[in-house]
């Protein structure tokens, strides 16, 4: 994946799902991001990605920081996690690479 954190540095901050973002394809988020509900995300998250308790999420792309999975969440990660996977009682399926396991 040829995406760079430098290319999205101007988008820094903390973000939450919105209906528009939930259907976005190729989204680039510069900071941390919280995913809720049943949905797919395709793109890059520059910071940490948190999958909320009870969510059912597929992420295709890259997470620059940690992937944090809350209790009861289910996540399918297809791509790269630049940090660690912190599983607090969810289900995690990674098809790709984790830089700091």
């Amino acid at each position: 994946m040829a995406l760079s954190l430098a290319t999205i540095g101007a988008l820094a901050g903390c973000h939450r799902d919105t209906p528009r973002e939930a259907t976005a394809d190729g989204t680039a988020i510069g900071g941390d991001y919280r995913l809720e509900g049943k949905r797919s995300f395709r793109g890059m998250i520059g910071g940490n990605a948190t999958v909320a308790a009870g969510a059912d999420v597929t992420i295709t792309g890259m997470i620059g920081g940690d992937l944090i999975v809350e209790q009861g969440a289910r996540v399918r990660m297809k791509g790269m996690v630049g940090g660690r996977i912190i599983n607090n009682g969810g289900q995690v399926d990674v098809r790709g690479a984790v830089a700091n396991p």
Side-chain angles (χ1 to χ4, degrees):
M1 238 169 250
L3 296 175
S4 166
L5 290 177
T7 62
I8 61 168
L11 299 174
C14 184
H15 305 274
R16 293 181 66 94
D17 279 339
T18 65
R20 188 180 67 78
E21 289 172 330
T23 60
D25 193 17
T27 301
I29 303 295
D32 295 343
Y33 194 66
R34 183 173 179 84
L35 298 118
E36 300 174 340
K38 182 176 173 78
R39 58 138 332 160
S40 294
F41 177 91
R42 181 180 301 271
M44 179 176 178
I45 299 169
N48 297 327
T50 301
V51 179
D56 184 1
V57 174
T58 299
I59 302 169
T60 304
M62 180 178 172
I63 299 171
D66 295 338
L67 172 59
I68 303 161
V69 182
E70 295 181 351
Q71 186 172 357
R74 180 175 178 190
V75 62
R76 287 161 303 286
M77 177 68 205
K78 300 174 184 177
M80 182 179 165
V81 177
R84 303 168 293 149
I85 294 178
I86 301 168
N87 187 349
N88 295 316
Q91 296 178 353
V92 181
D93 177 24
V94 177
R95 308 271 169 118
V98 178
N100 297 307

